[in-house]
Amino acid sequence: MENIVSEKIDRRKFLAGAGAGSLVLVSLGGCGSSQVRQPGTPHYGMVFDQNKCVGCRDCRIACNETNKLPKGVTRLLLELQDDKIEGKRGYAADRRYVRVSCQQCSDAPCVTVCPTGAAHRDPKTGIVTMYADKCVGCKYCIVACPYNARFINEETKVADNCDFCLHTRLEKGQQPACVEACKYDALVFGDLNDPNSYINKLLAVKDSVRIRPELGTEPSLRYIPIVKQGV
């Protein structure tokens, strides 16, 4: 059963909820999409499991190395949420990590606003990515992204985002670098259009959340929120 999370997002406070920073689950609402995928095109998605992430950041290191990102920028962050919760033994730390990255929206504002077509949906995979030779650095896509997940690569002068390692690994039949690097199975990647894919089987038995459904962007990144234990 899938649920969706509605939260105010910024790049440094990605899933900070009211008060305790908890995820607010609401029922799935209808979301339209103007960017229709071609028939037979896969719909790649990713699941981040808060229960399994230990914050080692091997995912980020692997991403930066694989995609040759300059120092000081990254396609993904791991934000530590550290709150105090009251329990039988007083107060205890409620610590958890959350992935901050491009949501790979099915109705992507960055694609809609790009004046040159540089930000586009790859016709073979349906993944939102960039034509480097078409990008003029106008930053329209950065402003339009409601998740603050895009940036300008200062070496290439091209807007950048997580595209599931489309050109560096996926085209070679490999998993995204972050998924491959995770030793704790906190990340799962696959085709949401394939009913037999592991990602679909996982989502069928785990409650998952998405970010800001009221925007109608239909993110392809899902989160399995942490299961709180009694303290």
Side-chain angles (χ1 to χ4, degrees):
M1 176 181 178
E2 181 189 355
N3 295 306
I4 301 181
V5 62
S6 178
E7 296 288 347
K8 182 178 180 180
I9 307 300
D10 64 55
R11 190 165 172 81
R12 294 293 176 182
K13 209 68 179 175
F14 190 63
L15 285 178
S22 57
L23 297 181
V24 180
L25 303 183
V26 297
S27 61
L28 174 60
C31 295
S33 177
S34 61
Q35 298 169 28
V36 180
R37 297 173 188 271
Q38 296 298 321
T41 301
H43 179 184
Y44 287 111
M46 184 176 289
V47 172
F48 173 85
D49 191 339
Q50 276 194 311
N51 299 277
K52 295 182 177 181
C53 179
V54 300
C56 67
R57 293 177 173 79
D58 284 353
C59 56
R60 188 180 71 180
I61 294 170
C63 173
N64 284 17
E65 291 178 350
T66 297
N67 296 293
K68 297 180 172 56
L69 299 180
K71 186 177 180 179
V73 297
T74 183
R75 290 182 174 184
L76 68 94
L77 296 171
L78 280 179
E79 180 181 291
L80 172 63
Q81 295 180 345
D82 192 351
D83 301 302
K84 289 184 177 181
I85 56 176
E86 186 175 4
K88 296 178 181 179
R89 302 176 184 176
Y91 287 91
D94 179 20
R95 305 186 69 183
R96 58 202 179 277
Y97 293 89
V98 64
R99 177 188 173 105
V100 182
S101 68
C102 174
Q103 298 290 295
Q104 281 294 320
C105 304
S106 291
D107 195 355
C110 57
V111 173
T112 301
V113 303
C114 182
T116 65
H120 69 285
R121 192 175 300 283
D122 179 62
K124 291 184 179 179
T125 64
I127 292 173
V128 175
T129 187
M130 294 293 296
Y131 287 130
D133 58 342
K134 290 186 177 182
C135 181
V136 296
C138 67
K139 301 183 181 180
Y140 283 8
C141 61
I142 295 174
V143 175
C145 176
Y147 306 102
N148 297 325
R150 299 178 68 90
F151 60 95
I152 294 291
N153 185 319
E154 292 301 327
E155 290 186 357
T156 64
K157 307 303 179 184
V158 172
D160 206 339
N161 70 294
C162 169
D163 61 2
F164 295 147
C165 293
L166 172 61
H167 303 297
T168 52
R169 292 184 61 85
L170 195 60
E171 289 179 342
K172 303 174 185 177
Q174 301 171 327
Q175 293 271 301
C178 59
V179 177
E180 190 74 26
C182 182
K183 298 187 291 288
Y184 303 97
D185 298 323
L187 293 170
V188 173
F189 175 78
D191 183 2
L192 294 169
N193 280 348
D194 179 1
N196 296 315
S197 65
Y198 179 70
I199 191 172
N200 267 329
K201 292 178 180 179
L202 178 65
L203 291 172
V205 298
K206 292 285 188 178
D207 284 335
S208 65
V209 300
R210 290 189 289 179
I211 309 301
R212 300 189 70 182
E214 72 277 8
L215 298 178
T217 61
E218 297 186 75
S220 300
L221 184 58
R222 318 290 173 89
Y223 296 81
I224 298 176
I226 199 163
V227 177
K228 293 185 179 180
Q229 305 295 329
V231 294

